């Protein structure tokens, strides 16, 4: 039996609505890394710590294609994409951690910032 994998394209945002688009094979862990600002880069510099949109895929190539498509959109279209499902830009991961670190300690980023 083959183990089925999941991959996610996701959007992180700052309070001032700076947007970061990424892809990962472990969404909970990657969002934690952004929230803890463990990696130097764009999300740390601009404090993008709120998960405002995500979509799950079974194939990595589909997740990467989605990431590239979103990155190619004008900002107004990215905002519309977020607001279709999350009109108030709430942090969709708000209840995930409740003060606890995710279980897996390995790096889940599939792409560098």
């Amino acid at each position: 039996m083959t183990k089925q994998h999941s991959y996610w394209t996701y959007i992180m945002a700052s309070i001032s609505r700076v947007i970061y688009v990424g892809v990962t094979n472990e969404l909970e862990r990657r969002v934690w890394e952004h929230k803890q600002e463990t990696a130097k880069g764009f999300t740390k510099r601009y404090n993008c710590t709120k998960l405002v949109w995500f979509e799950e895929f079974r194939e990595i190539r589909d997740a990467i294609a989605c990431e590239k498509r979103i990155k190619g959109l004008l900002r107004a279209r990215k905002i519309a994409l977020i607001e279709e499902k999350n009109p108030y830009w709430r942090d969709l991961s708000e209840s995930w951690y409740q003060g606890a670190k995710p279980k897996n300690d390995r790096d889940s980023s599939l792409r560098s910032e």
Side-chain angles (χ1 to χ4, degrees), residues 58-108:
R58 291 289 168 220
E59 299 291 332
I60 185 61
R61 67 178 173 269
D62 296 333
I64 292 171
C66 180
E67 176 196 33
K68 288 180 179 181
R69 183 182 59 80
I70 293 170
K71 285 183 174 183
L73 296 175
L74 294 174
R75 180 173 171 78
R77 184 61 190 113
K78 291 174 189 172
I79 290 170
L81 179 68
I82 293 166
E83 291 181 350
E84 281 175 27
K85 295 183 182 178
N86 189 2
Y88 301 107
W89 291 57
R90 292 199 171 105
D91 184 352
L92 302 174
S93 67
E94 188 173 50
S95 64
W96 291 3
Y97 309 107
Q98 300 177 7
K101 186 177 177 181
K103 296 173 191 166
N104 194 336
D105 285 336
R106 65 189 166 104
D107 181 14
S108 61

Side-chain angles (χ1 to χ4, degrees), residues 23-78:
V23 65
T24 185
N25 64 342
E26 196 174 330
L27 186 62
E28 184 179 337
R29 175 72 179 152
R30 187 66 178 133
V31 169
W32 173 265
E33 291 168 355
H34 287 302
K35 289 180 174 296
Q36 298 303 307
E37 298 179 338
T38 58
K40 293 179 183 177
F42 185 90
T43 57
K44 183 175 182 175
R45 186 175 323 119
Y46 294 101
N47 200 30
C48 297
T49 58
K50 291 172 48 175
L51 176 66
V52 294
W53 181 92
F54 64 92
E55 186 171 338
E56 183 177 7
F57 297 90
R58 291 289 168 220
E59 299 291 332
I60 185 61
R61 67 178 173 269
D62 296 333
I64 292 171
C66 180
E67 176 196 33
K68 288 180 179 181
R69 183 182 59 80
I70 293 170
K71 285 183 174 183
L73 296 175
L74 294 174
R75 180 173 171 78
R77 184 61 190 113
K78 291 174 189 172

Side-chain angles (χ1 to χ4, degrees), residues 13-25:
S14 69
I15 292 172
S16 62
R17 296 191 173 181
V18 173
I19 294 171
Y20 170 82
V21 180
V23 65
T24 185
N25 64 342

